[in-house]
Amino acid sequence: MLRILPAFAALLLSACVQFSWNKVSRYAPLDQDAIATLEPGRSDLGDCLELCGAPLVVLETDDGRGAVLIYAWYHENNRGLRLSTPVNDSASVDFDYDRFEANTPGMVLFFDHDWKLSALRQGLILDLTNDLRRRRPANV
Amino acid sequence: MIEAPGSNACMKSFLLPEIALLLLVPWLSGCALAHTTINEPLSFAQVQELEPGTTTAKEAVKILGAPADVVQLGRRSAYRYDHRNSKRAGLFLVLVFLFNEDTRTDRVWLFFDENEVLTHLGATFAAGQTEYAMPWTDVHED
């Protein structure tokens, strides 16, 4: 009987303790070689769209004359012992604007009125987009 | 008659509970697959019908349907079309839980000038490459 106890203990423990390997991949990272070819002042919107594809988010610049393109990707790879929690507890990231997770990397491209690339930033999306807000539509 | 330790009968009675548990464990394990999509898949052929410099916003909407989002860019605008595909696989083996999620999208952004003529088009088609996988698999490996 004592020999069976560890097996039963394992079954009971499975309700609260488990080894978990949780991997979440959302969108593919951009090719760094492609990014390296983008040059502020020289590259334009067409070049960027051809090299990087469609962005996740497009915003109007603060002055209302240009555009901001946001590319992001999310990869989580967690392993370890953990208390039992819902499967999607740490996987609730989404890419609607204002809902980026703090650890989401990405790239932000700024274009002027002539669609020339004026600036390129890489890093964590929340840091890069701190000063950006989607403006409400207005009559044109 | 007393059986000597190590005899067959003794081994059988000794291992029976363990064997029974081993047979039980597979029935206690579980696996799950989930597939989630958002919006209809985008058609590569339809996107190819769009021509920067000539296609108007009205024609684009006629070809692709209503966009998921319209962003005002001063007097210009950008339309977003997207289709999201997520595949999740989970395997639960008593004390071990393995989970993988792979999400990819088809995305198309159309940029129109102040006359609502298409000037730029950006497209990414990746939703079809979404995979069910276990965590040790690199789903973005070529």
Side-chain angles (χ1 to χ4, degrees), chain A residues 7 10-11 14 18-23 25-27 53-55 60 64-65 75 87 94 113 115 134 137-138 140, chain B residues 21 28 69-70 72 74 76 84 92 94-97 99-103 105 107 109 120 122 124 135 137 140:
Chain A
L11 287 174
S14 68
Q18 61 186 203
F19 169 76
S20 172
W21 189 352
N22 187 25
K23 190 173 178 183
S25 306
R26 293 188 179 157
Y27 318 117
E60 186 179 29
R65 293 167 54 82
H75 289 261
V87 172
D94 205 333
H113 183 260
W115 295 131
R134 182 166 176 173
V140 289
Chain B
L21 274 175
L28 294 172
D69 192 15
V70 175
Q72 184 182 328
R76 300 175 290 191
R84 188 178 303 189
F92 180 60
V94 189
L95 287 178
V96 177
F97 181 68
F99 174 80
N100 188 81
E101 176 188 326
D102 183 19
T103 297
T105 57
R107 298 189 303 273
W109 277 96
H120 298 86
T124 296
T137 309
H140 292 289

Side-chain angles (χ1 to χ4, degrees), chain A residues 49-86:
Chain A
L49 291 173
E50 192 177 330
L51 285 167
C52 303
L56 284 169
V57 178
V58 173
L59 298 171
E60 186 179 29
T61 51
D62 285 340
D63 62 7
R65 293 167 54 82
V68 180
L69 272 59
I70 301 174
Y71 294 85
W73 49 91
Y74 182 81
H75 289 261
E76 174 189 306
N77 193 3
N78 293 327
R79 274 173 279 192
L81 283 174
R82 52 182 260 182
L83 291 177
S84 182
T85 54

Side-chain angles (χ1 to χ4, degrees), chain A residues 65-133:
Chain A
R65 293 167 54 82
V68 180
L69 272 59
I70 301 174
Y71 294 85
W73 49 91
Y74 182 81
H75 289 261
E76 174 189 306
N77 193 3
N78 293 327
R79 274 173 279 192
L81 283 174
R82 52 182 260 182
L83 291 177
S84 182
T85 54
V87 172
N88 62 351
D89 184 52
S90 58
S92 58
V93 63
D94 205 333
F95 282 93
D96 292 335
Y97 187 63
D98 286 339
R99 291 179 61 192
F100 287 111
E101 289 284 311
N103 57 347
T104 300
M107 178 178 75
V108 180
L109 303 177
F110 295 80
F111 293 89
D112 63 17
H113 183 260
D114 299 321
W115 295 131
K116 280 282 179 202
L117 180 65
S118 57
L120 181 159
R121 297 183 198 162
Q122 288 192 80
L124 297 180
I125 285 296
L126 275 190
D127 297 338
L128 299 176
T129 58
N130 254 346
D131 51 344
L132 302 174
R133 289 287 176 273

Side-chain angles (χ1 to χ4, degrees), chain B residues 48-125:
Chain B
Q48 281 190 313
E49 289 179 37
L50 305 172
E51 283 184 42
T54 57
T55 304
T56 64
K58 192 176 178 180
E59 289 166 342
V61 168
K62 198 173 177 182
I63 293 168
L64 295 179
D69 192 15
V70 175
V71 178
Q72 184 182 328
L73 303 170
R75 300 182 70 83
R76 300 175 290 191
S77 59
Y79 290 12
R80 173 171 61 89
Y81 292 86
D82 66 10
H83 162 63
R84 188 178 303 189
N85 194 7
S86 297
K87 290 183 178 175
R88 300 177 185 88
L91 181 62
F92 180 60
L93 296 166
V94 189
L95 287 178
V96 177
F97 181 68
L98 306 171
F99 174 80
N100 188 81
E101 176 188 326
D102 183 19
T103 297
R104 306 188 207 205
T105 57
D106 293 339
R107 298 189 303 273
V108 174
W109 277 96
L110 307 180
F111 293 82
F112 295 99
D113 64 15
E114 51 271 34
N115 299 313
E116 296 196 334
V117 175
L118 182 68
T119 57
H120 298 86
L121 182 159
T124 296
F125 288 89

